[in-house]
Amino acid sequence: ATPTSIMVGTGRAAESGILFKGGEHIEQAYKIQSVVFDKTGTITNGKPVVTDFNGDDETLLLLASAEKGSEHPLAEAITQHAEEKQLDLLSTTDFEAIPGRGITAKIDNKHIIVGNRQLMKEYKVDSRKEEEHLLELENEGKTAMLIAIDGKIRGTVAVADTIKENAKEAINQLKDMNIQVVMLTGDNERTAKAIGRLAGIDHIIAEVLPEEKAENIKALQKDGTAVAMVGDGINDAPALAVADIGIAIGTGTEIAIEAADITILGGDLLLVSKAIKISQATIKNIK
Ligand code: ADP
Ligand code: MG
């Protein structure tokens, strides 16, 4: 590629809201055969709201108080819900976030655990009675969480996120370019599949722990496939770095933007296929 054609391509991209970190990335993006999307904050708007709560008033108060210590979008949805109900939250001790699973905290000597099935299993809390209700919520595309107090399930809470308006169109454009589309998420399989259905993605890799996201990208690259990763979160940063092209959502975290090769402004997913097309045009001009 000549320096001039790279400069023209980079400039054209920037005008559309696609920021290439360096000329070498515009020379590589045309090769992409597979695009992997994170779910929360990438395919979805990342602003989930509480849709269902099952439990008594004390459980809701303890739940929201415990989640106050977490910066996870799920936690923000729960504390927002408590704020709307004008609850006076209690202070916690021994708060701990368990990435990809949930949180634990102590309030007035009560031990609170909030999170998914795996977390309950790890704390030996029996959640079998809630299973049917959880499945129902998850099939609706909601993220369902269990609440345990002193080792016993006391309630469930479900949170739902909305899918980005142009997600389906953006994914269709990639498919039209013969690019494989994958969704990679820490959320459970049923919720992920329901969101995938809405977005038009059928290749779903779910229940992936934050530290496993990069491993999954490497597995997709094994047969020589050139893989792009699109993500917004701290937990996406290693995967963005490992991918042939890392694409950060401009509305996402600073850490994701730093790890990526491209940033798309405003989180507009249509810019993913556009970035690849601009790279293809840049390469064609010079060959
Ligand atoms: P994603 O990849 O979609 O951003 P995460 O890996 O952050 O998801 O989280 C995976 C799962 O862990 C969530 O779907 C939820 O069940 C549980 N979890 C994570 N953080 C919390 C929290 N603060 N409170 C309750 N559950 C949580
Ligand atoms: Mg995310």
Side-chain angles (χ1 to χ4, degrees), residues 38-40 67 70-72 74-75 78 95 98-103 114-116 143-145 184-188 208-210 213 235-236:
D38 159 60
K39 179 174 75 69
T40 312
E67 289 283 8
S70 166
E71 279 166 21
H72 200 281
L74 293 171
I78 292 167
F95 174 86
I98 301 124
R101 292 186 187 85
I103 56 146
V114 189
N116 58 21
T143 299
M145 290 156 277
L184 185 63
T185 178
D187 210 342
N188 86 87
V208 179
L209 290 173
K213 281 196 172 180
N235 59 350
D236 297 319

Side-chain angles (χ1 to χ4, degrees), residues 38-51:
D38 159 60
K39 179 174 75 69
T40 312
T42 300
I43 296 285
T44 69
N45 288 303
K47 291 197 180 66
V49 294
V50 171
T51 53

Side-chain angles (χ1 to χ4, degrees), residues 125-188:
V125 177
D126 184 357
S127 64
R128 275 174 297 181
K129 267 211 290 233
E130 281 66 33
E131 191 55 30
E132 198 180 329
H133 183 52
L134 291 188
L135 293 179
E136 214 172 279
L137 294 164
E138 288 167 353
N139 283 329
E140 293 167 14
K142 297 169 181 168
T143 299
M145 290 156 277
L146 295 148
I147 308 142
I149 302 171
D150 291 336
K152 288 219 155 38
I153 297 293
R154 288 279 297 275
T156 55
V157 59
V159 157
D161 200 351
T162 48
I163 167 163
K164 280 186 187 165
E165 205 181 354
N166 56 17
K168 191 164 188 161
E169 190 188 346
I171 282 145
N172 273 335
Q173 286 191 2
L174 292 168
K175 287 181 176 170
D176 287 345
M177 293 160 76
N178 275 323
I179 291 171
Q180 180 199 35
V181 180
V182 181
M183 189 166 88
L184 185 63
T185 178
D187 210 342
N188 86 87

Side-chain angles (χ1 to χ4, degrees), residues 271-284:
L271 297 179
V272 175
S273 60
K274 189 151 195 183
I276 298 171
K277 281 180 182 152
I278 289 174
S279 168
Q280 287 170 345
T282 304
I283 296 297
K284 244 184 230 148

